[in-house]
Amino acid sequence: GQQVMQIPQYQHVQEGEDFTTYCNSSTTLSNIQWYKQRPGGHPVFLIQLVKSGEVKKQKRLTFQFGEAKKNSSLHITATQTTDVGTYFCAESTSGTYKYIFGTGTRLKVLA
Amino acid sequence: SQTIHQWPATLVQPVGSPLSLECTVEGTSNPNLYWYRQAAGRGLQLLFYSVGIGQISSEVPQNLSASRPQDRQFILSSKKLLLSDSGFYLCAWSPRTGNYGYTFGSGTRLTVV
């Protein structure tokens, strides 16, 4: 079945350092989404990537979809304490309405 | 604008008791609806999804069931709760057409004692 590997599981960084989380799938994906969940909160949609090799930016966040559409990454430049939370990728294969979530990367930012 | 309501926010239930969690969406029609469960410090597990009234797809064999009696209402139920049913239950919706992200409800923290 479809498996979603997300690494690292945890990441502690000093404020101002960069952060990257990676998502790898065992299957070719139709698209991939990224979510952020603050401690005690619910996941919030950040972005969706559809095209092979696609790169999208949201301020300090850069999202990338692999050429083979089997992996993706989220990079945060110069982290801030507001970036604290768990980042999830969510994958969908063609023809389905459902998304399978990765295990998440929990980010802590030390001031 | 669209909103999603999920209640209750927290729930403590004894083992063997029934469960009913409700989720409603406003401001849209024919949404896809989803129930996810998140164990403490873990990822999100898809439990059920629905693309229309009375249409329920189950992803994981378990002690739970789901129903969609109205277009914008999604209910998660159990006849007899188990300790392992404890977790953070999240309802979500997405538009029927087009590629858009999920909008999650604020969740229900269920503790089975």
Side-chain angles (χ1 to χ4, degrees), chain A residues 9-10 30-31 33 35 37 39-45 48 50 86 88 96-104 106, chain B residues 32 34 36 38 40-44 46 49 51 59 88 90 94-96 99-107 109:
Chain A
Q9 188 175 2
Y10 301 97
S30 172
N31 56 71
Q33 298 177 350
Y35 292 78
Q37 184 177 24
H42 58 275
V44 174
F45 173 72
Q48 176 169 277
V50 179
T86 302
F88 292 98
T96 69
Y97 296 102
K98 61 183 183 182
Y99 281 79
I100 305 301
F101 279 71
T103 50
R106 187 178 298 178
Chain B
N32 293 330
Y34 309 84
Y36 282 84
Q38 185 175 35
R42 306 289 295 275
L44 285 80
L46 178 61
Y49 71 97
V51 298
E59 290 298 301
F88 189 37
L90 290 153
S94 68
R96 178 66 57 82
N99 289 319
Y100 300 97
Y102 289 0
T103 300
F104 282 87
S106 52
R109 297 193 182 280

Side-chain angles (χ1 to χ4, degrees), chain B:
Chain B
S1 63
Q2 302 92 353
T3 56
I4 180 168
H5 302 280
Q6 190 179 343
W7 67 93
T10 59
L11 193 58
V12 180
Q13 291 284 101
V15 169
S17 64
L19 173 74
S20 181
L21 301 180
E22 188 164 344
C23 172
T24 59
V25 180
E26 296 179 356
T28 187
S29 297
N30 304 314
N32 293 330
L33 296 171
Y34 309 84
W35 279 110
Y36 282 84
R37 177 170 60 197
Q38 185 175 35
R42 306 289 295 275
L44 285 80
Q45 180 186 34
L46 178 61
L47 302 177
F48 302 95
Y49 71 97
S50 171
V51 298
I53 296 174
Q55 300 179 58
I56 309 294
S57 296
S58 174
E59 290 298 301
V60 181
Q62 59 209 320
N63 186 41
L64 302 169
S65 62
S67 61
R68 184 170 177 173
Q70 300 180 41
D71 180 47
R72 290 170 290 176
Q73 183 184 28
F74 206 21
I75 298 172
L76 184 69
S77 304
S78 173
K79 292 182 179 178
K80 289 185 178 182
L81 284 169
L82 307 172
L83 287 174
S84 57
D85 291 323
S86 294
F88 189 37
Y89 288 83
L90 290 153
C91 180
W93 79 273
S94 68
R96 178 66 57 82
T97 58
N99 289 319
Y100 300 97
Y102 289 0
T103 300
F104 282 87
S106 52
T108 296
R109 297 193 182 280
L110 171 66
T111 304
V112 182
V113 296

Side-chain angles (χ1 to χ4, degrees), chain A residues 64-85:
Chain A
Q64 200 160 10
F65 203 6
E67 293 289 343
K69 300 183 75 172
K70 286 189 174 183
N71 58 75
S72 181
S73 64
L74 158 58
H75 179 81
I76 302 178
T77 303
T79 55
Q80 300 175 359
T81 55
T82 54
D83 295 325
V84 165

